[in-house]
Amino acid sequence: MIRKCLFPVAGYGTRFLPATKSMPKEMLPIVNKPLVQYGVEEAINADLNEIALVTGRGKRAIADHFDISYELENQIAGSSKERYLDCIRNVLEKGTFMMTRQREMKGLGHAILTGECLVGDEAFGVILSDDLCLNNEDDEGVMAQMVKLYNQFRCSIVAIQEVPLEEIEKYGVIAGEEMGDGLFRVSSMVEKPKPEDAPTNMAVIGRYILTPDIFDILRETPPGKNGEVQLTDALMTQAQNGCVLAYKFRGKRFDCGSVPGFIEATNYVYENIYAEGSS
Ligand code: UTP
């Protein structure tokens, strides 16, 4: 059974400067809720209640967010404003939170390897909270869909989405044989290819389930694209040695690591979730 979900939240968030100079990108709110909380809620909905955060310098606000704010709570206890705390209290009740720091930003693969001390020798979920995933009405979240698949196939799984070829250079890209129902057995994976070199338009987005052998593979993986330890390279090794599945998930995904995606998500959540809930 998978119990843990790793959140690499150590990145600099340069695309949001100056907002992210002293504030973590993951604390930027989509309407009134920080990005990282959406991710944690998705993990908890998939019964991954042990949340492992790989943070870095300047990210203390994330640790504070997942703790009680004694003064604030005391101040508004019993008032009509107390209801604004309901959704974070719910997360704190269900989740346990662990943290470690990535001291040097050497890439996503390195951040995941840094999280080994929190994960140990078991399969785990990974959520990149700057990819906001929202489930369709009456459907489960993306991580819950992936956990079901893991229970069936017992191997690493990456979530994929078809993207226009002109945007492919922003993503890891897979090729593979379709096994049915939007599930592919990965035969190759490339990080940020030029459109003319992309094997397909199937882009990996920020949801993974990884088996723990990934840690040994990451240790042996040399820095790749941009001099960073690339998770994509480690997953390619895993696919060659065994099996990695790619899953075309159900639901919506917004690239909140970019300003246009962030604005799109904000408008969507305001119109379809926040406004409806507050009326
Ligand atoms: P990004 O590529 O979006 O990098 O990382 P970033 O630094 O957050 O943002 P920009 O490009 O500077 O604007 C993808 C995910 O991997 C994490 C990030 O926090 C983000 O969730 N990450 C990346 C780490 O935790 N450590 C790293 O060394 C690199």
Side-chain angles (χ1 to χ4, degrees):
M1 222 175 94
I2 308 189
R3 304 173 299 147
K4 293 182 180 165
C5 192
L6 189 70
F7 285 76
V9 291
Y12 290 125
T14 45
R15 283 169 287 172
F16 279 87
L17 282 170
T20 47
K21 186 160 175 266
S22 64
M23 181 177 82
K25 167 173 85 171
E26 298 76 11
M27 288 303 294
L28 291 173
I30 297 296
V31 186
N32 61 337
K33 198 194 289 185
L35 270 173
V36 65
Q37 189 180 330
Y38 286 93
V40 169
E41 287 176 358
E42 185 186 330
I44 288 175
N45 282 332
D47 285 330
L48 310 187
N49 295 328
E50 296 181 33
I51 307 298
L53 299 157
V54 177
T55 71
R57 281 182 297 285
K59 300 277 182 168
R60 219 170 273 167
I62 299 176
D64 287 342
H65 187 69
F66 295 109
D67 195 355
I68 285 176
S69 167
Y70 184 77
E71 237 180 82
L72 170 76
E73 306 227 357
N74 210 31
Q75 192 73 36
I76 66 174
S79 80
S80 61
K81 288 186 181 162
E82 201 171 0
R83 70 190 162 92
Y84 292 117
L85 282 172
D86 284 352
C87 88
I88 183 67
R89 279 183 175 161
N90 190 32
V91 167
L92 294 182
E93 240 166 61
K94 294 189 177 142
T96 54
F97 295 84
M98 317 172 254
M99 268 146 248
T100 190
R101 275 193 184 197
Q102 186 189 16
R103 285 192 287 263
E104 289 174 284
M105 304 317 142
K106 293 187 190 167
L108 177 59
H110 180 260
I112 287 177
L113 186 55
T114 305
E116 184 182 19
C117 59
L118 304 176
V119 170
D121 191 23
E122 52 187 275
F124 59 104
V126 176
I127 290 186
L128 306 186
S129 46
D130 41 9
D131 264 342
L132 173 65
C133 290
L134 300 173
N135 49 291
N136 296 332
E137 213 177 324
D138 298 328
D139 198 359
E140 56 200 351
V142 178
M143 189 46 75
Q145 295 168 37
M146 293 173 77
V147 166
K148 275 199 183 143
L149 285 173
Y150 174 79
N151 289 338
Q152 198 179 344
F153 294 99
R154 304 261 149 199
C155 62
S156 289
I157 306 170
V158 301
I160 52 166
Q161 179 180 36
E162 290 193 52
V163 301
L165 262 188
E166 56 273 20
E167 289 175 25
I168 205 83
E169 217 172 327
K170 298 194 283 186
Y171 297 93
V173 180
I174 69 120
E177 188 193 329
E178 184 153 18
M179 300 162 63
D181 281 344
L183 197 62
F184 296 77
R185 189 179 172 135
V186 173
S187 57
S188 88
M189 250 177 137
V190 249
E191 184 61 23
K192 301 190 172 66
K194 297 236 169 302
E196 57 273 25
D197 300 327
T200 66
N201 68 339
M202 292 189 285
V204 177
I205 63 120
R207 298 292 180 279
Y208 309 80
I209 287 182
L210 301 174
T211 52
D213 54 311
I214 198 76
F215 294 126
D216 282 337
I217 299 173
L218 280 168
R219 250 186 291 282
E220 300 297 319
T221 303
K225 199 116 194 177
N226 304 332
E228 297 184 337
V229 179
Q230 296 291 349
L231 177 62
T232 304
D233 296 341
L235 281 166
M236 186 58 217
T237 307
Q238 218 180 26
Q240 280 163 344
N241 296 346
C243 180
V244 173
L245 297 177
Y247 169 58
K248 232 187 246 178
F249 62 94
R250 303 183 302 273
K252 281 198 163 31
R253 173 239 165 207
F254 298 92
D255 173 15
C256 295
S258 75
V259 172
F262 185 89
I263 299 302
E264 201 190 327
T266 302
N267 289 334
Y268 182 86
V269 170
Y270 181 69
E271 280 160 23
N272 296 282
I273 299 173
Y274 180 82
E276 280 186 14
S278 64
S279 61

